Amino acid sequence: MMAPQVQLDFFATAGKMLEWHDNLDRNKPGLLELTGVSQHGRATTSGLNDYDYQSLSFLKSDETHNLQQLRTVTKAGIPKEILEHFKHIKCHCTMGLFPEIGRAWLTIDSEIYIWTFNQARDVAYYDGLSHLIVSVGLIKPRAGVFVEDVKFLLLLTTPIEVIVLGVTFGESGFNEMQLMNRPIFVIGTDNVSISVIKGTEDGRIFLGGRDGCLYEISYQAESSWFGKRCKKINLSQSLVSLMVPNFLKVFSEVDGIERIEIDNSRKLLYVLSERGSIEAWDISTDYTAARRLGRITQNDITSQAVKLITTVDPTIFKCVKAICPLTVDDSSKLHLVAVTQCGVRLYFSTILLNVQQPLQQFDGTANYSQFDNQGFGGQAAPQGQLPPVGGETPRGLYLLHVRLPPGYTPNATTNKPKQVHAAHYTEGNMLMITTQQQEQDLLWSVNSAPSVNFTYLVESTALESLDGVVWGMAEVHEPCAPLLKSPLNSAKHSRKIALLTNQGTHIIQLLKMPDVLMQILQYCNGPHHEEVKMFFQSQNQREACVTALLLATSDSYRGGNVALWATQAFMLYGGEPCFQHQKFLNANNNRTLANQTPLGTNAVTGRERLPMFMSTPMPNVNQGNTPMSYNATQFNQPISPISNLQQPSPVVVNNENSQIVYSAKHDGLYLYVSRMLRPIWQLPCVDKNFCSQVGPKDCSLLLADLRALRRFLEDHSVHDISSSTRVSFDTHLDRTSGYNTLIMANTHLPISEQRNYAEQAQVEEKRSLSALNLFVKHACEVLSLWSILNAHPFQNICLQLNPDQQKMLKCCTFRDLLLTRSEVTAFLIISLINLYLKDKAGVTEVSNNLREHCPNLYRHEDAVTYKATELLMNAKNCTSATEKEQKLRTTLQMCKEAAPTLPLRSICQQFTSTEFYEGVIELTAVCAAKSDPEEVGIHFYNNGEPSEDREGYACFVTRMNYYKEVQNMLDHIYQTARNKTNPQDQTKTSPLQFKNTNSTKVIPKIVAQTLRVKDPLIHVTLYEWLLAHDMLSELLDVEEPTLGEFLRRNATRNAENVVVIDLLWKYYEKNNHHPQAAQILDNLAMTRSENITLEQRIEYLVRAVMSMRNGNVGSSITSGIFLKELEDKLDIAKVQRTVLNAMKELARSNHEAAAAVKELHYALYDITQLYTHFAEPFNLWECQLSILNCSHHNDPLLIESVWGNIINSVVEEPGTALERSNRLFTKIELLVREYNESGACFPFAFLIRELEIKACQLRLPEGIVPEKLVTMSLDVELLLEYYSRMISMNERVWANEGNEWHLIESAIRVVTLLADNAQTVWYRSKRRIVGKAQDIVAGCLNICYQKPDTNRLQNSLKELQSRLQRLMV
């Protein structure tokens, strides 16, 4: 299948080319331009030159056979049972046609007979009148007024009343006509004889009276307080005329109404009086708004025509016998054609055009009758003042063109029409009935259709003898005619005209160009003939190709020689593409490059001498210097509109001034499609009530045309259509093909370069035709879908859409639907299927129908999707678990077969809703495997996802996109559990609460089922979901190796993601990979991150040490070294914790300390950094001591300094002596416990001396230091040793501190404590310790003996000495 973007590019190319051809086709010269009115700027004439009228022989090269313009279809006589009543005729008989129902009518006195004119059967009659029938009319009633059985109203007028009868039919069409016995309405005529009855398409009824007044019958469903149910309104009579007495009206001239014609497309009504006057009315939508635009008398018409043509007898302009309205399709500016008794056609308009001549020459308001001053006539504009150009408001009735009939040219060989008494106009064909003999009429056909190649009005004539006198002429209404008017349908179906004579009905067919081409092909027995070639050259080549396509694609000729020959002619004479050089064009822009008219240069020169036929250039086409700016090149050889557009594959042209000229085959195909789709191209898809704007009937007809063209394009490839087909005919007729001779003989390019250009043009045309071929296929599918939608409740389908989709549908035209709005077709299909599913109906039939007709809009996977939806809906309603499981498995198998192009999300959502979680896992795995059968995505992942492997990355992303449905399924389960746990506030649901729900049983099953799939990428999808939802325990329960790889990659990519790294070491630890776990823990501890606290770092190091001490690690040298490093890091980390705690205390009053706290959490520092960056700058003495201890730093002076600072910092804190004493000894006790065994960091002697000095300074109780130190379980022997040394030193410091005997008192207290606790001293060292105590006592006595006033101390020492002696015993 073609890539979506490429397909959209082709659609855009085809769409722009179609719109360009459609624009060109719409802007070709219309009737106003062909008559020369718009170019010359005044009223014009034609019909005086030889080339104004031609026979169809100009389409062929010889006169060996005649081409028919008319063809008799059927003839049927008047039914015999009606003819028998002619014997009883008394005074009056009239005849006419009811083309709406395919019937003719005949009145004999007071009776009316109606029969089908095709086969002269199904005779109906009505004889319920007692007065003579004057006029008859058949009107389609206004909707909603009568019951549905009443299809038409039959109006019969007598001299005194108007009778309205209801007309009903049988079940099928207009068969079995029946007239109601009782009249619906009976209205008085007020003594005015009604001569003509006419109705509009919307049910309004107009009457023309012999008094010259126009009446309207207004009717409604029920009577009201202020009016009757039916009444007759005189539209011509004003309030002023009501005040004129009736006896005065007797003296006024009466000009009765003879004909009424209505232009339903413009809401205009035209009246022809018995004396040849013409009135124009704007009937609006209601009789209250009806107004007369103007009236022009026979004399005014004659005088204006004579001023335009002075070389003919003025009597030919007199006695207007027929008027024919021109619809909007016929002409946008010319509105009415009047035909005189001599066949002169007078073209009128109801709007003022931008003409330059004085208006009174053709303004119908110049000589209006007495009604002109009563507000109904057109207002004459002052001379020289014109309304804005393009004003569409009807203002009056203006003569713009006079066309003389055949026979008035200088070299005329045909007779002139005489005694014209009826005329009919349809699609450029004017039919006139003339009386050649007393009992035999002659039919004139004047048709402009074969002359589309001319820029002026050229018509072909044909004559047909009739069997009798024509009483009525009307166009046959086809029962299956489409509601949408298409130029293609108009060209395909020839109109039929029914002529009612006194011998019966004669139906003729107005042949069109396909019929003419078919005559030529049949006569020549194939396309290889000069006649066929001449047809293509005489016609506009694109038009000729369109004509050939109409025959080639027609179902009527399918499989026959006509279709084959038409196809061959299309291929042979459709020309070839080439490049048109701008310089060449500029040099030759005054010449007609192709499709010269068969009249030769003399004819053109003669036409140039008529300035009224000068024309303005077409839009977007450079104006030439010739008087005929609508030259052939503007329509036969369009320059490519795509050259300035964005193209998927633009053609590179070496010459900047070169543009492609497509072949006539190419342009004919695009023109064919543009005309086919023109009725719906800009039509909104739906109306405001969501009803389809294209009904089933129109849709089926349009679809049939599209399919016929698609078959043609399938049978004849783009290569066949665009290939070079040289025609080897004689060259004496220099009219081969303007498309393929445009450049070759007129440029100075080398042959090789010309050939290169030709090949490039072929490539460009093939690309354009490929775009059209693809577009036609797509259009067939879109219209097929629309036809299927029309066969269902269309409005219900639209109302099921969401508001955004409804808004999009309302704004969408069929152009959008065909070119860009593929999503509209998608959600319409979804809505259609949902309509079945909603009604619990099977979707198999509609699914098969969509698959058959819309295989690209509704693919196989779509059919599988909706069939799966149907099975899943049935599975939901199953009460049997076995049956439910069977249906779910069947659905899964169907989806696996259609994978991977089905709508995976929709299917997975339905699987999830039925709790078929295993189906989601299996289906996504199958989709991934089918989308990447070579496992390129898995290889990409296993290789570390290298950035240079783009193909692998694309496959990897594809697989992961499929596996997202597994995550969506888990999200649904998780959200459902949260809703059940805490429906009020879902944001507060914790993983612990989730684990307490029933989903705890579902998640492990899904995890196990997912892990059974061998694709590591689905494992990654599962791990990502578990990690995102903090289901870490479930994640660690997985034993697959893919989890370790997943965690490792995540840890590598997100080095700061602590959660992932934490999971990784736990995974390694759980799976007995202790060294790896220790390494991860070490990395975690050393990670510089704000998300990890110092305590966590210490914990990581502790766990790392424990992992390395595990028995499974082994005893390698590497492991030992790593373990030692971990232990050292742990010790330093503990020191850092000490620093941190101290820093926190300091941070309360120090901002710099607060910043240091963050830094201590952010990372682990070495011992030097801790000392120099934190402990030393912030005077953290205890931390310094801890750092010195940890680093085994042996600097006694530094250590003693730190201890001293610790003691001073405690003592210097505010408080009483007792409080400071307690703080001091508490701190010392804590430090002793920590550093007692540390050696160098515990200077015992220094500590004793410092404490004694502080005790002396604070005047603490004597002996407090020894007492506190003894309670700290310090070595007594060392304590005695250090006191002995201090006694022996006999320092002056104690005297300086205010207590000379402080140290002796402390020494006495130390010995006393020893004596009191002598039993605790180990007996082996007792003698030694007691001996040291005796030495202390002796030293103290020696000092006391030297000092006065020491008796107390001496007594205490002597007493203590005695105790020690006793201990030695």
Side-chain angles (χ1 to χ4, degrees):
M1 183 179 293
M2 187 176 295
Q5 185 57 46
V6 176
Q7 180 171 306
L8 289 177
D9 291 340
F10 272 107
F11 287 166
T13 298
K16 290 172 182 177
M17 183 70 84
L18 285 171
E19 289 179 336
W20 189 81
H21 279 88
D22 186 65
N23 226 8
L24 195 69
D25 194 37
R26 288 174 181 269
N27 291 329
K28 66 183 179 182
L31 191 56
L32 194 70
E33 290 77 24
L34 294 176
T35 55
V37 175
S38 64
Q39 298 94 317
H40 192 59
R42 64 179 177 86
T44 58
T45 63
S46 62
L48 292 171
N49 297 292
D50 290 333
Y51 45 76
D52 286 334
Y53 290 102
Q54 300 180 15
S55 65
L56 290 179
S57 59
F58 78 91
L59 296 176
K60 55 193 184 66
S61 60
D62 56 32
E63 301 292 338
T64 54
H65 72 286
N66 293 324
L67 296 177
Q68 294 184 1
Q69 189 170 319
L70 302 172
R71 180 170 59 198
T72 298
V73 179
T74 58
K75 289 184 179 181
I78 300 175
K80 295 181 180 180
E81 55 265 39
I82 298 178
L83 292 176
E84 292 178 358
H85 289 273
F86 270 109
K87 302 175 184 178
H88 308 291
I89 187 172
K90 295 180 181 179
C91 62
H92 187 67
C93 173
T94 58
M95 299 175 69
L97 293 169
F98 292 150
E100 300 90 344
I101 59 176
R103 284 170 168 77
W105 58 268
L106 170 68
T107 63
I108 301 176
D109 297 331
S110 61
E111 299 178 352
I112 182 171
Y113 300 89
I114 305 172
W115 71 98
T116 55
F117 52 66
N118 276 336
Q119 299 178 357
R121 57 181 178 80
D122 190 18
V123 179
Y125 71 95
Y126 183 77
D127 57 358
L129 302 179
S130 57
H131 296 85
L132 182 71
I133 296 177
V134 178
S135 59
V136 179
L138 186 71
I139 312 297
K140 186 176 181 180
R142 197 161 56 239
V145 177
F146 305 105
V147 295
E148 294 184 0
D149 291 340
V150 177
K151 303 298 182 182
F152 288 91
L153 300 178
L154 178 63
L155 276 74
L156 305 176
T157 67
T158 68
I160 61 173
E161 60 187 4
V162 179
I163 297 92
V164 181
L165 299 173
V167 181
T168 61
F169 297 92
E171 295 181 357
S172 57
F174 293 138
N175 297 327
E176 301 178 7
M177 174 181 172
Q178 294 181 357
L179 299 176
M180 292 184 174
N181 294 328
R182 298 183 60 182
I184 297 177
F185 302 125
V186 177
I187 310 166
T189 61
D190 300 328
N191 296 323
V192 177
S193 178
I194 304 299
S195 57
V196 59
I197 303 171
K198 202 72 174 180
T200 63
E201 292 179 349
D202 56 359
R204 297 175 66 181
I205 304 172
F206 294 92
L207 309 176
R210 297 287 184 186
D211 60 349
C213 294
L214 178 67
Y215 299 90
E216 181 176 357
I217 295 179
S218 175
Y219 58 96
Q220 55 191 10
E222 297 180 356
S223 301
S224 63
W225 286 98
F226 303 101
K228 300 178 181 179
R229 187 182 176 193
C230 180
K231 58 184 177 180
K232 179 167 67 70
I233 300 102
N234 188 343
L235 300 180
S236 301
Q237 195 170 21
S238 64
L239 293 176
V240 178
S241 63
L242 288 175
M243 295 187 291
V244 178
N246 289 333
F247 70 90
L248 293 178
K249 297 180 181 179
V250 176
F251 300 100
S252 62
E253 294 184 358
V254 177
D255 188 7
I257 294 177
E258 183 176 345
R259 294 181 185 274
I260 295 177
E261 297 293 340
I262 297 176
D263 180 2
N264 289 287
S265 63
R266 296 188 179 93
K267 299 291 183 183
L268 296 178
L269 179 144
Y270 304 100
V271 172
L272 176 64
S273 69
E274 295 174 350
R275 298 183 180 181
S277 299
I278 302 175
E279 289 184 7
W281 288 76
D282 181 2
I283 59 176
S284 189
T285 57
D286 188 71
Y287 71 88
T288 58
R291 63 188 180 95
R292 183 168 60 178
L293 302 175
R295 174 186 173 93
I296 183 169
T297 64
Q298 178 66 70
N299 293 333
D300 295 333
I301 295 174
T302 303
S303 63
Q304 293 177 27
V306 168
K307 291 179 182 178
L308 295 175
I309 304 180
T310 59
T311 59
V312 296
D313 185 2
T315 58
I316 66 173
F317 303 120
K318 294 184 177 180
C319 195
V320 177
K321 287 297 183 180
I323 53 175
C324 304
L326 300 176
T327 64
V328 174
D329 296 329
D330 296 325
S331 176
S332 60
K333 303 295 183 182
L334 299 177
H335 301 161
L336 180 70
V337 181
V339 183
T340 67
Q341 189 172 4
C342 293
V344 178
R345 281 170 285 165
L346 307 168
Y347 289 84
F348 294 89
S349 177
T350 62
I351 59 175
L352 284 169
L353 302 179
N354 187 21
V355 294
Q356 302 300 323
Q357 74 175 77
L359 292 179
Q360 60 267 26
Q361 293 184 12
F362 62 95
D363 188 355
T365 63
N367 295 305
Y368 278 167
S369 64
Q370 60 181 348
F371 300 106
D372 294 347
N373 297 323
Q374 301 173 4
F376 291 97
Q379 299 297 320
Q383 184 172 347
Q385 296 182 9
L386 297 176
V389 178
E392 297 297 333
T393 303
R395 298 174 178 271
L397 195 60
Y398 312 104
L399 177 63
L400 295 185
H401 185 73
V402 177
R403 177 79 169 179
L404 296 181
Y408 286 88
T409 59
N411 301 318
T413 57
T414 59
N415 295 326
K416 302 175 182 178
K418 298 178 180 179
Q419 299 299 320
V420 176
H421 63 86
H424 180 79
Y425 182 87
T426 175
E427 293 184 341
N429 200 326
M430 174 61 74
L431 301 177
M432 296 182 291
I433 305 298
T434 63
T435 302
Q436 298 295 107
Q437 300 178 9
Q438 185 175 3
E439 294 297 329
Q440 185 179 17
D441 283 350
L442 183 66
L443 173 65
W444 286 70
S445 171
V446 183
N447 190 6
S448 62
S451 307
V452 294
N453 196 34
F454 297 91
T455 56
Y456 48 88
L457 187 59
V458 177
E459 295 175 313
S460 61
T461 58
L463 302 177
E464 181 81 13
S465 297
L466 304 177
D467 295 336
V469 178
V470 175
W471 284 72
M473 178 170 55
E475 187 172 333
V476 177
H477 285 234
E478 297 292 339
C480 60
L483 299 177
L484 295 174
K485 295 182 180 179
S486 164
L488 195 69
N489 280 330
S490 177
K492 185 185 300 184
H493 301 100
S494 300
R495 299 295 179 98
K496 295 179 182 178
I497 304 296
L499 304 172
L500 180 63
T501 68
N502 52 3
Q503 300 299 320
T505 54
H506 184 178
I507 299 178
I508 62 170
Q509 186 177 14
L510 308 180
L511 300 183
K512 297 194 174 182
M513 296 314 297
D515 303 304
V516 174
L517 178 58
M518 182 179 67
Q519 294 178 54
I520 297 175
L521 289 172
Q522 289 177 336
Y523 171 77
C524 299
N525 199 26
H528 300 280
H529 198 279
E530 285 289 338
E531 294 287 331
V532 184
K533 183 178 180 182
M534 183 66 185
F535 176 86
F536 274 79
Q537 293 162 351
S538 302
Q539 285 286 96
N540 179 302
Q541 278 192 308
R542 287 199 317 279
E543 294 290 347
C545 287
V546 171
T547 303
L549 281 174
L550 287 170
L551 292 177
T553 60
S554 174
D555 289 335
S556 303
Y557 306 116
R558 185 180 178 187
N561 288 333
V562 172
L564 177 62
W565 293 339
T567 303
Q568 292 174 349
F570 175 83
M571 299 294 183
L572 286 172
Y573 309 114
E576 302 169 14
C578 61
F579 276 95
Q580 179 179 17
H581 293 271
Q582 193 62 42
K583 293 180 181 179
F584 173 71
L585 285 178
N586 292 337
N588 297 278
N589 61 355
N590 294 334
R591 289 188 290 172
T592 303
L593 299 179
N595 294 336
Q596 299 283 352
T597 62
L599 302 176
T601 57
N602 294 332
V604 176
T605 305
R607 179 50 96 190
E608 289 175 354
R609 289 195 293 267
L610 297 176
M612 66 180 65
F613 291 99
M614 293 175 61
S615 64
T616 56
M618 292 293 286
N620 302 325
V621 181
N622 294 330
Q623 183 176 2
N625 296 326
T626 64
M628 294 172 11
S629 296
Y630 292 111
N631 53 56
T633 58
Q634 294 174 1
F635 297 98
N636 298 344
Q637 297 162 20
I639 306 303
S640 168
I642 304 181
S643 58
N644 297 324
L645 304 177
Q646 295 293 330
Q647 302 178 13
S649 303
V651 177
V652 179
V653 184
N654 296 328
N655 190 346
E656 295 180 356
N657 296 323
S658 297
Q659 288 179 310
I660 188 172
V661 179
Y662 293 103
S663 68
K665 294 176 289 187
H666 170 279
D667 293 344
L669 281 167
Y670 269 101
L671 188 60
Y672 184 91
V673 178
S674 69
R675 288 178 177 175
M676 182 194 305
L677 299 178
R678 184 179 299 172
I680 67 168
W681 191 252
Q682 295 296 341
L683 184 69
C685 296
V686 296
D687 58 16
K688 61 181 180 180
N689 297 320
F690 293 104
C691 296
S692 173
Q693 293 276 55
V694 178
K697 183 177 179 181
D698 289 323
C699 193
S700 61
L701 292 175
L702 187 58
L703 189 56
D705 291 339
L706 278 170
R707 287 173 176 169
L709 180 61
R710 184 181 66 182
R711 285 194 298 269
F712 176 83
L713 294 174
E714 289 173 350
D715 294 340
H716 308 282
S717 66
V718 171
H719 177 76
D720 295 336
I721 296 175
S722 185
S723 61
S724 299
T725 34
R726 306 281 183 182
V727 185
S728 57
F729 282 116
D730 295 338
T731 59
H732 70 275
L733 191 62
D734 189 17
R735 287 177 290 198
T736 53
S737 174
Y739 281 81
N740 54 26
T741 61
L742 179 65
I743 182 176
M744 294 303 176
N746 295 284
T747 63
H748 302 288
L749 296 175
I751 298 299
S752 59
E753 190 169 349
Q754 291 185 20
R755 186 178 296 109
N756 184 34
Y757 279 143
E759 291 176 356
Q760 291 183 25
Q762 291 280 353
V763 171
E764 176 68 9
E765 178 162 301
K766 288 178 181 179
R767 191 194 65 80
S768 181
L769 289 175
S770 297
L772 179 65
N773 189 16
L774 187 65
F775 172 80
V776 169
K777 292 179 179 179
H778 177 67
C780 284
E781 294 194 18
V782 172
L783 268 297
S784 297
L785 171 62
W786 207 259
S787 179
I788 294 172
L789 294 174
N790 277 330
H792 293 82
F794 191 92
Q795 197 173 20
N796 293 345
I797 295 173
C798 297
L799 293 177
Q800 284 192 137
L801 305 175
N802 62 47
D804 291 338
Q805 292 174 342
Q806 290 180 357
K807 184 178 179 181
M808 185 185 299
L809 182 59
K810 276 188 176 181
C811 298
C812 182
T813 63
F814 278 96
R815 176 196 179 278
D816 303 328
L817 198 67
L818 292 169
L819 293 181
T820 58
R821 291 294 187 185
S822 58
E823 66 272 19
V824 175
T825 58
F827 62 62
L828 283 174
I829 290 175
I830 293 172
S831 182
L832 173 63
I833 299 296
N834 288 340
L835 189 67
Y836 276 80
L837 297 176
K838 183 178 179 181
D839 296 338
K840 297 181 180 180
V843 298
T844 304
E845 183 177 354
V846 67
S847 182
N848 293 338
N849 198 9
L850 288 169
R851 280 291 301 146
E852 179 182 357
H853 297 101
C854 319
N856 292 316
L857 298 179
Y858 187 76
R859 298 163 297 176
H860 171 66
E861 51 268 24
D862 298 324
V864 171
T865 300
Y866 293 116
K867 184 60 179 178
T869 302
E870 180 185 358
L871 290 174
L872 288 173
M873 291 181 65
N874 294 335
K876 285 183 180 180
N877 301 325
C878 283
T879 56
S880 172
T882 304
E883 184 180 357
K884 180 178 180 179
E885 178 69 19
Q886 181 182 1
K887 290 187 176 182
L888 291 174
R889 283 291 169 185
T890 302
T891 305
L892 177 60
Q893 187 59 37
M894 289 174 52
C895 294
K896 283 182 178 180
E897 294 173 358
T901 53
L902 45 75
L904 185 62
R905 173 161 297 184
S906 175
I907 295 296
C908 289
Q909 287 175 350
Q910 295 181 68
F911 280 164
T912 304
S913 64
T914 55
E915 299 182 357
F916 188 38
Y917 306 127
E918 185 178 355
V920 176
I921 298 169
E922 292 185 19
L923 182 57
T924 53
V926 170
C927 289
K930 286 189 175 182
S931 65
D932 182 20
E934 302 297 328
E935 297 185 351
V936 177
I938 298 176
H939 184 268
F940 172 80
Y941 176 77
N942 291 336
N943 282 358
E945 304 177 24
S947 58
E948 64 275 5
D949 187 2
R950 295 185 178 181
E951 180 185 1
Y953 175 75
C955 295
F956 170 79
V957 171
T958 301
R959 282 179 173 265
M960 295 304 289
N961 286 336
Y962 286 126
Y963 292 143
K964 282 182 181 178
E965 298 306 322
V966 177
Q967 290 185 337
N968 294 336
M969 173 187 68
L970 292 168
D971 285 337
H972 173 79
I973 299 170
Y974 186 81
Q975 190 63 38
T976 303
R978 291 180 65 184
N979 294 339
K980 292 179 180 179
T981 304
N982 194 353
Q984 299 297 327
D985 189 0
Q986 300 177 10
T987 61
K988 297 181 180 180
T989 305
S990 65
L992 182 60
Q993 290 175 314
F994 176 76
K995 292 178 182 179
N996 294 330
T997 63
N998 294 331
S999 299
T1000 53
K1001 299 179 181 179
V1002 177
I1003 296 294
K1005 290 182 180 179
I1006 294 176
V1007 171
Q1009 292 167 354
T1010 306
L1011 294 177
R1012 282 199 292 268
V1013 180
K1014 299 304 179 182
D1015 188 351
L1017 300 185
I1018 196 173
H1019 298 178
V1020 170
T1021 303
L1022 175 65
Y1023 303 151
E1024 288 177 347
W1025 187 88
L1026 293 173
L1027 184 61
H1029 292 78
D1030 294 330
M1031 302 183 70
L1032 306 182
S1033 61
E1034 287 82 357
L1035 186 62
L1036 289 176
D1037 289 339
V1038 176
E1039 298 179 355
E1040 291 289 330
T1042 53
L1043 176 59
E1045 180 64 19
F1046 167 76
L1047 294 173
R1048 185 190 64 78
R1049 293 195 185 192
N1050 273 271
T1052 304
R1053 292 171 184 166
N1054 306 308
E1056 297 182 357
N1057 192 336
V1058 180
V1059 176
V1060 175
I1061 301 174
D1062 189 63
L1063 286 172
L1064 182 58
W1065 78 260
K1066 290 178 180 178
Y1067 169 80
Y1068 283 140
E1069 186 72 21
K1070 185 176 180 180
N1071 290 276
N1072 294 324
H1073 300 299
H1074 301 291
Q1076 292 91 330
Q1079 186 66 50
I1080 296 298
L1081 288 167
D1082 180 35
N1083 293 336
L1084 265 176
M1086 300 303 295
T1087 301
R1088 302 173 66 87
S1089 172
E1090 296 178 353
N1091 299 324
I1092 308 176
T1093 65
L1094 182 58
E1095 286 297 328
Q1096 290 176 314
R1097 297 177 191 276
I1098 295 173
E1099 183 181 354
Y1100 292 146
L1101 290 173
V1102 171
R1103 290 182 177 274
V1105 172
M1106 292 174 62
S1107 296
M1108 290 305 297
R1109 289 176 178 173
N1110 192 284
N1112 297 328
V1113 173
S1115 57
S1116 64
I1117 297 175
T1118 305
S1119 299
I1121 295 173
F1122 182 50
L1123 176 60
K1124 184 63 173 68
E1125 291 176 356
L1126 289 175
E1127 290 173 344
D1128 291 343
K1129 289 180 181 179
L1130 179 60
D1131 292 339
I1132 297 173
K1134 291 178 180 179
V1135 173
Q1136 184 170 331
R1137 178 170 58 187
T1138 304
V1139 176
L1140 175 64
N1141 294 333
M1143 198 69 72
K1144 286 180 179 179
E1145 294 294 330
L1146 190 61
R1148 297 174 182 176
S1149 57
N1150 190 332
H1151 295 294
E1152 295 181 359
V1157 169
K1158 293 182 180 179
E1159 293 181 13
L1160 289 168
H1161 278 299
Y1162 184 72
L1164 289 178
Y1165 300 93
D1166 58 33
I1167 203 70
T1168 304
Q1169 291 172 330
L1170 288 174
Y1171 189 86
T1172 58
H1173 294 166
F1174 301 99
E1176 187 176 29
F1178 292 95
N1179 296 325
L1180 303 177
W1181 311 115
E1182 295 181 42
C1183 296
Q1184 292 181 25
L1185 183 61
S1186 178
I1187 292 171
L1188 293 172
N1189 178 57
C1190 181
S1191 62
H1192 305 289
H1193 187 73
N1194 191 7
D1195 187 351
L1197 293 178
L1198 178 60
I1199 294 172
E1200 290 175 359
S1201 173
V1202 172
W1203 276 99
N1205 288 324
I1206 293 173
I1207 295 172
N1208 291 334
S1209 64
V1210 176
V1211 173
E1212 289 173 359
E1213 291 181 5
T1216 64
L1218 180 60
E1219 291 175 348
R1220 287 188 282 181
S1221 173
N1222 292 335
R1223 286 200 301 267
L1224 175 61
F1225 288 108
T1226 301
K1227 176 64 67 176
I1228 295 300
E1229 183 179 2
L1230 292 175
L1231 294 175
V1232 167
R1233 291 178 184 175
E1234 184 173 357
Y1235 300 108
N1236 185 23
E1237 304 294 334
S1238 61
C1241 282
F1242 188 67
F1244 199 1
F1246 172 80
L1247 183 60
I1248 295 172
R1249 182 176 179 278
E1250 286 295 316
L1251 288 176
E1252 289 293 353
I1253 292 173
K1254 294 300 179 184
C1256 182
Q1257 292 173 348
L1258 296 176
R1259 302 295 186 267
L1260 296 179
E1262 62 180 30
I1264 189 173
V1265 174
E1267 290 179 0
K1268 295 295 184 181
L1269 292 177
V1270 169
T1271 58
M1272 296 177 190
S1273 302
L1274 293 172
D1275 189 352
V1276 177
E1277 187 175 357
L1278 282 176
L1279 186 64
L1280 294 173
E1281 177 69 25
Y1282 292 144
Y1283 269 99
S1284 175
R1285 291 179 184 178
M1286 287 190 294
I1287 294 295
S1288 62
M1289 292 173 64
N1290 192 17
E1291 296 176 294
R1292 294 290 299 169
V1293 66
W1294 314 109
N1296 296 337
E1297 295 298 336
N1299 187 358
E1300 183 180 2
W1301 310 109
H1302 176 81
L1303 183 59
I1304 294 176
E1305 292 173 353
S1306 295
I1308 294 171
R1309 184 59 181 160
V1310 170
V1311 176
T1312 302
L1313 290 172
L1314 175 63
D1316 292 341
N1317 297 283
Q1319 67 277 6
T1320 60
V1321 179
W1322 191 27
Y1323 73 95
R1324 290 186 178 182
S1325 58
K1326 182 176 180 181
R1327 183 174 292 277
R1328 186 177 68 251
I1329 293 173
V1330 172
K1332 288 183 179 181
Q1334 289 177 342
D1335 293 341
I1336 292 173
V1337 173
C1340 290
L1341 283 173
N1342 187 28
I1343 294 172
C1344 289
Y1345 291 152
Q1346 299 175 10
K1347 303 291 183 180
D1349 301 327
T1350 59
N1351 296 327
R1352 184 183 63 82
L1353 292 176
Q1354 292 178 13
N1355 295 331
S1356 298
L1357 288 170
K1358 290 177 180 180
E1359 183 182 354
L1360 188 58
Q1361 193 174 29
S1362 300
R1363 291 186 62 185
L1364 291 175
Q1365 290 177 352
R1366 288 194 295 268
L1367 290 174
M1368 294 294 290
V1369 178

